Every structure is written in structure tokens, then in C-alpha cells.
Amino acid sequence: MTAPVSPSPSPAAILVVGGGIAGMQAALDVAAAGRRVYLLEAGPSIGGRMAQLDKTFPTNDCALCILSPKLVEVARHPNISLLTSSDLLVLEGEAGAFTARIRRRPRYVDEERCIGCGLCSEACPVRIPDRYNEGLAETANIRIPFAQAVPKKAVIDAATCLRLQHGEKVCGKCVEACEAGAIDFSQTEQTEELQVAGVILAMGANPFDARLLPQFGYRLYPDVVTSIEYERILSASGPWGGEIRRPSTGGHPQKIAFLQCIGSRQQQTGGRYCSSICCMQATKDAIISREHAPEAEVTIFFMELRTPGKGFDRYVARAQEEYGVRYVRSRVSHVERRAADGRLLVSYETTAGGRRQEAFDLVVLSLGLAISPRVQELCRRIGVALDPFGFVQTDETTPLATSRPGVFVCGTLSGPKDIPATVMEASGAAAQFVYPERGERPAPAPITPPRSLFADEPRVGVFVCHCGKNIAATVDVADVASYAATLPNVLFAAHLTYTCSDDAQARIRTAIREHDLNRIVVAACSPRTHEGLFQATLKEAGLNPYLFEMANIRDQCSWVHSRVARDATTKSRELVRMAVSRVRVREPLGEIPLAITDRALVLGGGLAGMEAARSLARLGFAVDLVERQERLGGLLREVPFLPSGGRTRDFLDRLERELAMSPRVHLHLASRLAEVSGYLGNFRSRIATPEGDQEISHGITVVATGGERPRPAEYGLDRDPYVLTQDDLERRLAGSHPDLRLLDRLVMILCVGSRTPERPYCSVVCCPQALRNAIRLKERFPSLDVTILFRELRSAGKDELLFEEARRRGVLFIRFPDGSPPQVERQGEELQVTVADATFGETLTLAADTVVLSQPLAPNPDNAWLGPLLKVPLDQDRFFLEAHVKLRPVDFATDGIFLCGLAQGPKGIADTIRQADAAATRAATLLGKSVVLVEGKTSVINPRLCNGCRQCVEACPYRAIAMDDKKGVAVVNQALCKGCGICAAACRSGAPDLGGFSNEELASAIGAFLAEELQSP
């Protein structure tokens, strides 16, 4: 039946379909701009597959620990309406005026009444496989999906519920147990309609169904598990608390094998593409396996190692060198169980053609990604075109738009990608709906002033986190909480399973009210990822958010002292004691309100800068676009063809005309940034232009300075006219160069200048460009011999089809080993290429008319001076370093400055556009506000102690300190201060005092530690 129409509160509301990390990020970005968002999720809670992961690479952060703040932020955001257990049925209308009909399935629990206590689960007599743990454990029929679930409300599986299947007389245990009266078996499926302006599809991809490839033994042998199941095995919140066991015996495996490309790059499954994430996921899990079980041997069987992301090659090298992970290039044919001892025999073919068998205790199948038939059917029903593999079809120049106007896509629904790319895409998709009608800046949210606590006696509350078993497996958290209750001024102490979960935040707020607490200590994980979450909870409870302290007992105790539980517990008690001592003497800090200049400065006029400027202008903001060259386009101007085959010049010319005609875009060509001052919302920059210097006031800065493509010095390039780069070859192909018709034998050499000691990273675009050019050559000249020499062919994602097509057309591929690059020398009229064939162990000599080199992508040399000028960091490869690789991939740690494109790292055209749109979204959410509040942890200089020596002025990296010449003392501009504390370290008089790290706090913490130490025997 259809319920009465439920109109949206605002006709400008946006519908986001899918509650994984992509949908959550898109919803948060749109909501941050003041728009109403409906977040639709088919399951009973949000979080998606990321909620099942153990850790993330390369930082090895706990996946749920970095996801939980997002979950809570979605749950508490006033502009987001969360609709779980819901499906999109029909989408009618057009962009700006859609009617979405949705189906809401019953969970048989009243969400308003349910308090998430879990009593119903304890009473339920029916046990079912736990979907969250991939069936490796059982759970009650009525359950909360996982500990940090949002919403944290119970759900009943109707298919196995005794009451729903056999009538009310059969069972009612949950009804009897529920003290809140939340069980409601009368709920039925409901249909309602929403009026929305636009739609973002973020349903994501599913792991490949390993049962379709029975030769690998999944579901035939219990010790063959999938990569998702193995994530749950490794997780501290998993079925065995992070202990690696063999499902068959419960024993510890001594040898573990990872088999790659299960469901990817295979004709018989239809998954002919590369799923992109599998190699890095296996590498990460191999490292964690060695950390959990140092005695275990770990082997990864692979065909090609696809690790093209930022820092990925270093991560693989770390797995090999530090953890002893073994990589075997091979093709696995099948897995069978040895009857004698139950071990698994992995049969594989080596690259040289030999056949081998090896026994393992546990085999992990690295599953590829695929779009479920249910999601494909939905896309077709709402008129969104799919590619041949079931992913949403997009264009490389508009990679976020679907075939239906007003409907956009992000995440793995449009193709395989990792978490950073997914988060970027989500923010980019949100750019379509941020501030569509300028002229009205949303009023700042009302600020409830926290009560003054200067005269209050400290009343401290302490909350100790289990973090599943991340902490509790080593630290006796109950003992730490009991100890905390004995400390001076502690009025309340408790230990919680996950302090970052939504229900734990509610418990903290309740404890603050009931016990009149005015200072809070949380002993849990890292303040780097969670401090903001807890500060927001204090603010909601009416406390000053800075009257808070975290004791990091996960990283600093349970992880580093995992083999000495008693000492880890003792150290946890000490950290809590010191935290309580610090927060007892802490004074409230005030956040600094800053007015925002709603104008943007974009540095760099390549593709990333052009797209960021276009997107910001479309959102209604004035933009100054600064480019050092005399024309826009950057490196892309040097490449004739788009990946799809279209002309690059046509695409860039259209984009350039749009920018030139926009009244909001102010172009500064042949110009550069000469000087910058100010802070978030109030930057002032001096631009050196051909007409003279110009002063610009702007609220934010987008760094899109691109990179460069250096011409290698190797192989006689620029000395021998028949040694070219891929760009040179592409220009000849575009211009139908006459020499092409004379070609008989052409050799391409990949990784020239990339993955070397000087540039130990993959340049990402080289392999696909070489494959496209090889295909173009074979299309025009079918008899031409084309040979590609490579170390690792990285045609990730759908570019795998290029590899397939090149082989079909007769392109020959020869792999050479690391450290043994090919040699080229001229012999009369021809070039001779000598290469060590890593497959057959032979040295080959190839004759060639022309040799084509794949040159690297390198950071812009200007980064060396631009980084310090903007006060933003570079990574070890001299690309700009983002604030957080997973959660803030387009932000800098410096407020108000964003990055995109090659400035952040090597990437292709589509990824550059996505990231530029993401940077525009993040910038627009600030520019659209009249006032923002920034960090209150700033330095204050005591004028009575300052002797005017200027040491702090010279030491401050943010130029936040100046001399008051009249008084002869230093003064801090709190809007510029970033709380780094360098001034306090530099001053000999002790005049600077850093809020949150005051001299009194540090002395109190040290005194608390020493007092206990002195009393110890």
C-alpha cells in the first residue's frame, strides 16, 4: 500500500542513495552548506563495507575508529534525515524537481523508543549467522547490527523470527525483555514520496561471489576464506577478537596464502577489469597478519602487482623488507585439501610455465568488486545508463554525472576505487548541490555560550574505552576505570565498549547532566582522529569543548605493549592520572569567530585549477585564477588525445572559453603568487602580473599547481631522433606524421624515470597511455611490430581492457626485472634494445626503428618555495601532503587551504576533475558562511614576563607574532596562531603559554606522575 505523500520540508532537498563512506561524505558536504539531505540506506544501519574492515593503509588506523566520527556526525547533523531499511523505487520528474518514491521496510522495532540496550538480543532464543562478521559467528535474530551502528537500534530478521513466522503464541521473549516497549510486530512496509532537487547515487559495489569459482575451494573447505571474512578475523571486534585461527580446527595457522584476482581479470566471470584495491588490501592484511602472528609465513600469489596510489610502492616495500611478506608471481589454478593433515594445497603455474604445489594452513581469496544485480536493476529503473560490466556509465570529462540530468554518482558504483578516491568523488558529487542560488548566505548557527567555570570546583568524569578488543585485549579497562574513580576531583568513572559510538556519546552527555560534571577525560585512541568528536559532545552538553583531555591508551599502551598486559594496564592508569591532573587545572578556552571573505584564489591554471575555478564560479563565488603560463591548460595541452580518443584541445578550449566568459572568474595569466598573509576567511595575497602587482583579498585558497613531465636523460632521448616519449609519439599520431608509415618495428619502454630511487612512486598514467598508443598504432598499421617492455603493467580498473585489446591486436609484452632496465644503443641504421626477460630468464636483443619512452609525472619544482609560503607541508616525494589520506584527501591541515590534481600526486584526467570538484565543495562550505569558528588552542604571551627579545617572532612559522613597539612586548594574532608551541620552546623567559598545554597543566601532569613514582616501592 502507498502512504500519503510526505512532502519535503524544502523543495531544494537532495536525496543521497547509499549509506557507505561515499554516501555519508556526500550527505555531510551537502548538509554543511545548509541544504536538507535524505540519506537512504537499504540496510538497517549506515557505514557500508568500511565498517567491516579491520584497519586502513598506509597508516594502519583502525577502520571503525576513523569511521565512527563520521557515523556520529551523520546521526547528529540537523540537516540530514536518515532513512534506513529503505529502497528507492521510482524517480520521476526532472532535475530540480524530482519525485522519489521510496519503500520503507519494517524493522519491527520502534526507533523512537529503542534505546539500544541489547536486552532483547539476550532474550532471543533464535541464533542466526552474523552478517556483520560474514557468518563466522552467530548472533540473535533481534540484534543491533554492530557496536557502533547508526542508528543504534535493534532490527528483527523476519524470515527467521519465530513470532513472525508462526504467530504471536509461539514466541515473545523480546517483547517481555524490552523495558522501553519498543518491539512492534504490527509494522508493515510503507511507501512514501519525497520532493527533491537532485540525487546522488552512492550504493557502492559488492565483493565478488567466490562460490562462482569452485576451483578455489570456497565453501568446500572451511580454511578457505574471503578477503572480507579475513578482515573480520583480524578485527579486534571480530568473531575471535583479532586472533588468527583456522576455522576448521581453531588452531593458529603457520602458513597463510593470499590469492589475488578472484573475480577480477577473468573472462568466465565477466569481471575482465582490475578491481584496483585487492593488491593493497592483501598487502595490508599480510602486514597485520605478521603483527598478530609473527611466527606465521605469509605469501601473496599475484599475476600483476597493481599498486599505483600515493605511497603504495613504499608500503609494498615495507611489507617485504620489514615484515618478510613473500610475493610470488604466478597463476593459481586450484586449491584442494590434503586428506592426510587437512592442509590446503595451492596449485599454481609460474611465469616460466612450471607447475608447483605448496601447502598452507589458511587461504585468503582477494575478491574483486562487482555491482549487485539489485543495484543494476535500480539504475535501469530510474533511467541511469550502465557500462557493460554493470557500473554506472560516466564520461571522463564529466566523471560524476550520469546519463540522467540531475542524477550524479560517486564511489565504487561508477568503477573500482579505493577509500581516498571514494571520499574525493563524494565531495565532488556534492559540488553539484552546494549553494545553487547565491545571494543568501546561511545565517551562522546560534552559539549557546558554555557556562563559566572559572569559579567552579573541578568535577571530572572519566570514560575508558574497550575499543572492542583493540584496547581491552591487553589493558584491564575495568581496573583503569576503577582506579580513575579514586583520583582527586573525579566524580564519575565508567568503561564503555566504544566511546566513539553514538550511544556512548549520549551516555557522556547524560553523565555530565546527572553528575554536574565540568571536565571530561576519555581514555581511548588517538586525539588526531577523535578529539573533535568528543569536543562536539561536550559542546552539546553545554560545556566548554576545551575542558577535555584524551589519554591515548590504545596506541601508547595496548598496541605497543601487547605482550605485557600488566605493564600496559599500569601505564594506562598513569596516563589517565596525568590526564585528570591536567584537566583539573585547565581553564576554558574560547573559539575564535572569523568573518569570511566570499572570494576564492586558485593557484594553477591546468585542468585541476580550471575545473576548481569553474565549479566555484558555478556555485556563485568570485574566483581569481592565477597561472604562470600565458595560456590555461597546463600539462594537458601537451597531450593530443583524451583517454576516450577525443581531442584534448577541443575539451580545453571549451573549458577555457567558459572561464573567460564567466563574470565571476578573474584570470591572471603569466602571473604568480608573490606574497600571502592572513588566515582562514581573511587572506591577502600579492599577485605579480605583467601589468604590475595586484593585491587580492580572499577567504580560501585552492592549490592546483600541477606537476611536470621531465624528459628522461636515458636512452639518447633528444640526441637520437628515433628515441621519443609517449607524448612525442602521440603528437605524431595526432598529426599523421609521415615517419609513422616507415615504421616496421617499434619498442616501448615503461617506467623510465618512475619507480626509481629518485622517484620511488608510480606515475599512474604511463601504462594506460602506452597501451592506448600501441592500440592506435596497430589500428593504423596492423603489420607493425609493437613490443612493450615493462616492470609491472599497471592497467588498473577498466584500463585492464586496454591490456586485453593490445594483446588481441598482437602487441608483444616482455617483463624485465627490477634493477635491470633495458639497454638501448644505435647499430647503424637501427636501434638495438637489450632486455632481460624476467619470465624465461633469458637476455633478448630486439631491433627497432623507433624506441618510445614512458616518462614520469613529477612534482612542480615551485612546490619547494610555495609550500613554506603557504605554510603547508610536502610529502617525501615533494608533492603536497593532505590532512588525512582517507578522510580529508583534499584538505590541508592549515585551515582554508585545499589541494587538487597533480599537486597532490600523479593521477589521470577523470581523477583530477573529481578532486578539483571535491576541493571546490570543501571550499564552498566555508565561503558560503558569514562566520566560522576556529581552534581556540592558541598561544598567549604574558607581557609581564616578555623582555622583547623577538625570539618568538623569528621562530613562529605562521607569522602569528608581532612586536607591540609602544609596549615593547610580543603580541599573538590568535587568528593566525596554529597552536604549534614553537614560541613557548623558543622563549627563555617563559612568557608564551599555549592554551590546552599551559605551563601549569604540564607541571601538574608531571607532578602527578612523579608523586606516584616516588610512592612506588
Side-chain angles (χ1 to χ4, degrees):
M1 97 181 165
T2 301
V5 172
S6 175
S8 302
S10 164
I14 303 302
L15 176 65
V16 178
V17 186
I21 186 63
M24 291 164 62
Q25 185 65 54
L28 287 168
D29 282 329
V30 174
R35 299 193 73 164
R36 179 70 179 274
V37 180
Y38 293 104
L39 179 55
L40 198 71
E41 166 56 37
S45 64
I46 57 175
R49 289 288 177 187
M50 188 173 172
Q52 291 183 290
L53 301 183
D54 175 38
K55 294 180 182 177
T56 62
F57 62 86
T59 56
N60 277 11
D61 283 324
C62 170
L64 263 177
C65 287
I66 64 174
L67 184 65
S68 286
K70 291 284 185 188
L71 292 169
V72 176
E73 190 177 356
V74 169
R76 64 170 36 142
H77 204 293
N79 293 339
I80 297 178
S81 296
L82 183 57
L83 308 175
T84 55
S85 299
S86 301
D87 305 299
L88 176 62
L89 298 177
V90 177
L91 185 67
E92 298 174 336
E94 58 187 21
F98 286 118
T99 298
R101 185 174 301 121
I102 66 170
R103 175 178 60 209
R104 304 200 66 182
R105 288 172 277 106
R107 65 193 303 148
Y108 304 105
V109 174
D110 188 327
E111 290 188 42
E112 295 296 324
R113 293 186 173 185
C114 179
I115 60 173
C117 65
L119 292 176
C120 55
S121 297
E122 294 176 9
C124 181
V126 177
R127 310 299 292 177
I128 62 173
D130 186 354
R131 295 175 189 171
Y132 177 63
N133 280 313
E134 292 292 301
L136 294 170
E138 289 188 336
T139 185
N141 177 277
I142 181 170
R143 78 274 179 201
I144 294 168
F146 57 98
Q148 296 103 318
V150 170
K152 193 165 185 180
K153 310 293 182 182
V155 62
I156 293 176
D157 189 326
T160 52
C161 174
L162 297 177
R163 173 110 172 216
L164 288 169
Q165 292 298 315
H166 303 290
E168 60 183 28
K169 294 182 179 180
V170 175
C171 186
K173 298 292 185 182
C174 56
V175 178
E176 298 170 6
C178 181
E179 297 175 357
I183 312 302
D184 184 2
F185 287 107
S186 68
Q187 287 184 357
T188 59
E189 185 177 285
Q190 300 290 312
T191 304
E192 58 184 288
E193 293 182 347
L194 305 173
Q195 307 303 315
V196 296
V199 178
I200 297 175
L201 301 178
M203 292 89 79
N206 284 343
F208 173 77
D209 185 353
R211 293 173 298 183
L212 299 177
L213 296 174
Q215 65 266 35
F216 297 116
Y218 183 63
R219 293 291 172 89
L220 298 176
Y221 315 126
D223 292 331
V224 177
V225 300
T226 69
S227 46
I228 298 297
E229 290 172 346
Y230 195 62
E231 290 281 350
R232 299 311 306 146
I233 290 173
L234 291 175
S235 176
S237 63
W240 303 314
E243 183 181 356
I244 304 175
R245 298 181 187 174
R246 296 178 65 186
S248 63
T249 65
H252 296 160
Q254 297 302 304
K255 292 186 67 176
I256 304 171
F258 290 83
L259 311 187
Q260 300 307 103
C261 297
I262 305 302
S264 298
R265 306 179 67 200
Q266 293 181 342
Q267 293 283 350
Q268 68 265 39
T269 65
R272 291 155 49 204
Y273 49 85
C274 167
S275 290
S276 300
I277 64 168
C278 320
C279 290
M280 288 308 298
Q281 183 182 13
T283 297
K284 175 209 57 169
D285 287 346
I287 286 177
I288 297 171
S289 299
R290 292 280 291 155
E291 290 176 339
H292 286 212
E295 72 284 354
E297 297 178 24
V298 181
T299 302
I300 297 177
F301 293 92
F302 70 101
M303 292 186 288
E304 297 287 343
L305 202 59
R306 301 280 168 80
T307 56
K310 188 175 180 180
F312 287 8
D313 278 313
R314 280 192 177 90
Y315 195 79
V316 171
R318 182 183 170 205
Q320 293 173 305
E321 296 165 9
E322 294 183 28
Y323 291 90
V325 177
R326 171 177 165 238
Y327 289 80
V328 177
R329 191 183 301 272
S330 59
R331 184 182 294 274
V332 176
S333 60
H334 65 280
V335 176
E336 58 187 316
R337 187 175 183 181
R338 191 161 63 189
D341 57 7
R343 300 185 79 194
L344 299 167
L345 293 177
V346 175
S347 298
Y348 61 96
E349 185 176 342
T350 66
T351 53
R355 295 181 180 276
R356 296 182 183 176
Q357 272 194 341
E358 194 169 343
F360 292 89
D361 303 305
L362 188 68
V363 170
V364 182
L365 305 181
S366 292
L367 302 183
L369 297 176
I371 303 301
S372 73
R374 179 187 64 82
V375 171
Q376 292 184 43
E377 193 275 330
L378 167 62
C379 291
R380 295 189 186 98
R381 194 167 61 243
I382 64 175
V384 170
L386 304 176
D387 69 14
F389 308 109
F391 295 101
V392 168
Q393 184 172 319
T394 60
D395 181 80
E396 63 197 344
T397 60
T398 54
L400 301 168
T402 72
S403 60
R404 183 168 183 180
V407 180
F408 296 84
V409 65
C410 61
T412 53
L413 183 58
S414 61
K417 56 185 66 72
D418 60 10
I419 293 172
T422 294
V423 173
M424 287 178 202
E425 272 202 354
S427 292
Q432 320 305 319
F433 304 113
V434 176
Y435 304 117
E437 297 177 3
R438 294 287 290 133
E440 289 188 16
R441 301 178 81 186
I447 301 171
T448 304
R451 69 179 190 264
S452 175
L453 298 172
F454 285 101
D456 288 1
E457 178 74 14
R459 300 175 62 84
V460 183
V462 179
F463 299 87
V464 186
C465 185
H466 291 245
C467 198
K469 291 192 177 179
N470 272 306
I471 294 173
T474 303
V475 175
D476 186 341
V477 292
D479 173 77
V480 175
S482 297
Y483 172 73
T486 69
L487 297 174
N489 296 104
V490 173
L491 275 296
F492 180 82
H495 55 96
L496 306 174
T497 305
Y498 292 99
T499 54
C500 59
S501 65
D502 191 35
D503 66 312
Q505 302 303 297
R507 287 191 63 182
I508 293 173
R509 291 192 296 269
T510 299
I512 290 172
R513 288 194 306 269
E514 292 181 351
H515 300 275
D516 196 24
L517 304 177
N518 56 31
R519 287 164 175 79
I520 299 297
V521 170
V522 172
C525 53
S526 171
R528 183 174 66 92
T529 54
H530 284 66
E531 184 177 50
L533 168 67
F534 294 112
Q535 287 181 326
T537 299
L538 264 66
K539 192 181 293 187
E540 288 178 345
L543 287 182
N544 185 290
Y546 296 99
L547 294 172
F548 168 77
E549 182 67 20
M550 281 193 79
N552 188 348
I553 65 171
R554 184 195 66 179
D555 301 24
Q556 297 174 10
C557 296
S558 67
W559 282 1
V560 296
H561 307 302
S562 59
R563 298 185 182 278
V564 281
R566 182 178 176 181
D567 292 343
T569 300
T570 300
K571 185 177 178 181
S572 297
R573 290 166 59 138
E574 292 169 345
L575 290 178
V576 169
R577 183 174 72 253
M578 295 169 71
V580 169
S581 182
R582 285 186 66 178
V583 83
R584 285 174 59 230
V585 299
R586 181 167 296 170
E587 295 183 351
L589 301 177
E591 293 177 314
I592 304 166
L594 299 177
I596 299 292
T597 300
D598 59 343
R599 188 183 188 95
L601 173 65
V602 178
L603 301 176
L607 176 59
M610 295 170 76
E611 177 62 20
R614 185 196 71 84
S615 188
L616 283 164
R618 183 182 59 80
L619 295 172
F621 299 104
V623 182
D624 288 282
L625 178 57
V626 179
E627 166 56 38
R628 295 202 65 167
Q629 303 301 318
E630 295 182 354
R631 190 172 184 189
L632 300 175
L635 283 180
L636 197 55
R637 286 247 175 237
E638 301 175 15
V639 182
F641 297 113
L642 296 170
S644 61
R647 294 280 177 165
T648 304
R649 179 179 300 174
D650 296 339
F651 165 58
L652 287 177
D653 287 349
R654 287 195 305 271
L655 189 52
E656 188 176 30
R657 285 194 300 270
E658 183 178 347
L659 293 173
M661 294 173 63
S662 172
R664 297 190 179 99
V665 178
H666 306 272
L667 295 177
H668 305 273
L669 300 177
S671 304
R672 64 180 180 85
L673 178 67
E675 188 177 356
V676 62
S677 61
Y679 43 87
L680 166 63
N682 297 271
F683 291 107
R684 288 192 64 81
S685 295
R686 180 166 60 86
I687 308 299
T689 75
E691 295 78 27
D693 289 358
Q694 295 184 22
E695 294 285 342
I696 296 172
S697 297
H698 52 103
I700 64 93
T701 303
V702 176
V703 178
T705 47
E708 65 173 3
R709 205 142 195 208
R711 294 179 69 83
E714 299 96 324
Y715 301 117
L717 180 67
D718 295 328
R719 298 189 301 276
D720 192 313
Y722 295 98
V723 178
L724 313 174
T725 68
Q726 291 290 350
D727 288 352
D728 296 334
L729 174 61
E730 203 162 310
R731 283 189 286 272
R732 292 190 177 192
L733 285 165
S736 299
H737 196 284
D739 284 356
L740 293 176
R741 298 182 179 276
L742 304 177
L743 287 176
D744 183 38
R745 294 160 298 185
L746 182 143
V747 174
M748 295 181 177
I749 304 176
L750 307 191
C751 288
V752 180
S754 293
R755 302 181 65 212
T756 64
E758 296 77 23
R759 298 188 190 92
Y761 56 83
C762 171
S763 291
V764 178
V765 299
C766 322
C767 290
Q769 183 185 29
L771 291 170
R772 291 187 184 97
N773 285 341
I775 292 168
R776 291 184 183 113
L777 285 168
K778 295 293 286 184
E779 285 174 341
R780 293 191 191 182
F781 312 108
S783 62
L784 172 65
D785 288 337
V786 178
T787 303
I788 296 180
L789 310 182
F790 67 98
R791 293 167 63 186
E792 204 79 63
L793 201 66
R794 293 182 170 176
S795 49
K798 299 175 190 176
D799 285 340
E800 177 68 14
L801 303 183
L802 298 173
F803 185 26
E804 183 181 299
E805 175 67 8
R807 287 185 298 177
R808 189 185 68 80
R809 291 182 177 274
V811 175
L812 179 65
F813 292 86
I814 299 174
R815 184 174 65 84
F816 60 88
D818 287 349
S820 299
Q823 303 296 314
V824 177
E825 59 181 17
R826 177 159 287 284
Q827 296 288 336
E829 295 294 316
E830 65 181 20
L831 293 165
Q832 283 195 352
V833 182
T834 304
V835 59
D837 186 337
T839 299
F840 297 104
E842 300 176 355
T843 298
L844 307 177
T845 300
L846 310 175
D849 306 312
T850 297
V851 171
V852 182
L853 312 178
S854 288
Q855 72 269 43
L857 281 172
N860 190 328
D862 289 347
N863 294 359
W865 62 265
L866 186 59
L869 182 65
L870 294 172
K871 303 295 183 292
V872 295
L874 305 179
D875 66 17
Q876 53 194 324
D877 295 318
R878 294 177 291 112
F879 293 103
F880 285 104
L881 181 64
E882 61 275 28
H884 191 286
V885 64
K886 301 294 184 185
L887 299 182
R888 299 177 63 196
V890 298
D891 297 58
F892 281 109
T894 302
D895 294 332
I897 307 183
F898 305 89
L899 81 160
C900 57
L902 298 183
Q904 188 259 349
K907 56 183 60 66
I909 290 174
D911 284 338
T912 295
I913 293 173
R914 294 181 185 111
Q915 194 176 22
D917 283 343
T921 297
R922 303 289 292 169
T925 56
L926 291 175
L927 292 176
K929 298 175 180 177
S930 55
V931 173
V932 295
L933 298 175
V934 296
E935 177 66 57
K937 289 182 179 178
T938 57
S939 188
V940 176
I941 293 178
N942 186 338
R944 292 177 298 176
L945 298 178
C946 178
N947 62 16
C949 71
R950 296 177 179 268
Q951 289 288 335
C952 59
V953 177
E954 297 174 6
C956 179
Y958 299 100
R959 301 175 188 171
I961 307 177
M963 291 301 298
D964 183 331
D965 293 328
K966 291 183 179 180
K967 297 180 180 179
V969 297
V971 179
V972 176
N973 181 333
Q974 290 188 311
L976 285 173
C977 180
K978 300 300 177 187
C980 66
I982 290 177
C983 58
C987 181
R988 299 173 183 176
S989 304
D993 218 7
L994 181 60
F997 298 89
S998 70
N999 296 332
E1000 185 182 7
E1001 289 178 43
L1002 298 179
S1004 179
I1006 293 170
F1009 174 74
L1010 292 177
E1012 191 78 10
E1013 284 289 297
L1014 292 173
Q1015 294 174 18
S1016 301

